[in-house]
Amino acid sequence: MDVAADTTEKTFIQIAEIWVPEGDRLVHGGGDYGGLGAFEATSRRESFAQGEGLPGKAWAEARPVVLKGFDGSYFKRTEAAAEAGLTAAVAIPVFAGAVLKAVLVVLCGDDDARTGAIEIWSETDGLMMLDDGYYGAAKHFEWVSQHTHFPVGQGLPGGVWAARTPILMRDLGSGYRFIRADSAAKAGLTTGLGLPIPLPSGRSCVLTLLSAKGTPIARRFELWDARASRVGKDGGAVLADGICAREGPLWDEDNPRRVTAWQGLIGRVLGSGLPVAESAAPGLPGGYGAMVALPLHQGGELAHIVAWYV
């Protein structure tokens, strides 16, 4: 039986929302707003042309975009964000080949308690270099990250770059595989998720989400493999790895590690090729209030789904 998760502690990411192309604009496609109803209402009335606002900028530039402050910027919902206590956001475009499927936007608030990291790494001169990132209160870890680069296969960004698959890392503060382990331990960072972000330019790009125990990005992470070489001719997706804040495995006789298209929330991503951000939705595991699932396409085909739950 599931034990209820503690949903009272602060999370590093406060909002996750989906924007999908409709004609020449991006329109609202769902989201988890963490109870911030006024900001949600404002967002549902909004839409973005290419290059307009944060989702439109990620669309126009065909790459993830980090925005650390809204005042005086191109962000369109500044007043509503300020009222909700939101101060930073990251937009992640979802491409299948050259086709934009959606843009996932995550929004955070900046205070002395929230620690974590959302980082964008890109290939430059044969190394993974930090494009930009948002770290909350983890200022020293931010400085270390700005002065760190990764050859192929090294650290979390380099490992994802080499494998071209999502990777979960445990015990960041003590793990020899995590190059920034010492500063991660001082910042309280415990879990790392690295994702290869496909871009139409073909440039290698890696998104990393680093979670701290006190203000976690999520309480549960799942990596689903949808590659034909892994799942066979019948299709579907298999649960390749996962981390849960509670005891016990993520699959058993009652919770199989395989899904088919349109079976549950992961199956919806599998069937549509679109990301999902839902709160209080049917199909959520017991004890969790919301989930985000992000599809990763390779060669124009859906290859992986990464999900996190709060």
Side-chain angles (χ1 to χ4, degrees), residues 2-5 220 246 283-289:
D2 268 327
V3 178
R220 170 170 168 165
R246 290 173 282 172
L284 275 175
Y288 294 98

Side-chain angles (χ1 to χ4, degrees), residues 21-67:
E22 187 176 285
D24 60 354
R25 300 189 72 82
L26 292 171
V27 299
H28 193 270
D32 165 36
Y33 286 87
L36 297 174
F39 187 81
E40 178 178 3
T42 297
S43 300
R44 288 185 177 277
R45 295 191 297 267
E46 192 59 85
S47 68
F48 301 92
Q50 192 170 23
E52 184 182 30
L54 181 59
K57 186 176 179 66
W59 181 13
E61 298 188 4
R63 65 177 182 88
V65 177
V66 179
L67 185 57

Side-chain angles (χ1 to χ4, degrees), residues 165-238:
T165 62
I167 293 176
L168 272 169
M169 276 192 178
R170 286 87 163 160
D171 302 320
L172 298 185
S174 57
Y176 70 93
R177 294 174 59 205
F178 193 73
I179 305 303
R180 297 168 286 166
D182 183 62
S183 53
K186 292 176 180 176
L189 300 172
T190 58
T191 304
L193 171 62
L195 317 177
I197 303 297
L199 303 179
S201 65
R203 186 184 184 194
S204 294
C205 178
V206 173
L207 168 73
T208 55
L209 303 176
L210 308 180
S211 188
K213 187 174 182 180
T215 53
I217 284 176
R219 298 173 181 85
R220 170 170 168 165
F221 295 95
E222 297 174 350
L223 304 186
W224 294 83
D225 195 333
R227 293 173 294 181
S229 60
R230 180 69 188 273
V231 300
K233 63 180 181 180
D234 295 331
V238 294

Side-chain angles (χ1 to χ4, degrees), residues 12-13 66-68 87-90 108-121 129-148 150 157 178 180 183-184 187-189 206 208-212 215 217:
F12 186 66
I13 294 174
V66 179
L67 185 57
K68 298 179 185 178
T87 56
V90 180
C108 307
D110 190 7
D111 58 43
D112 293 338
R114 293 186 199 272
T115 297
I118 306 171
E119 303 175 314
I120 308 298
W121 300 84
M129 309 288 288
L130 183 68
D131 265 2
D132 208 346
Y134 178 69
Y135 298 84
K139 302 303 182 186
H140 177 69
F141 185 81
E142 179 177 8
W143 183 90
V144 169
S145 301
Q146 290 168 344
H147 295 82
T148 304
F150 297 93
F178 193 73
R180 297 168 286 166
S183 53
L189 300 172
V206 173
T208 55
L209 303 176
L210 308 180
S211 188
T215 53
I217 284 176

Side-chain angles (χ1 to χ4, degrees), residues 123-129 149-164 204 206:
E123 177 189 0
T124 304
D125 298 327
L127 296 169
M128 271 289 153
M129 309 288 288
H149 54 263
F150 297 93
V152 63
Q154 187 179 80
L156 183 56
V160 172
W161 182 21
R164 298 184 68 232
S204 294
V206 173

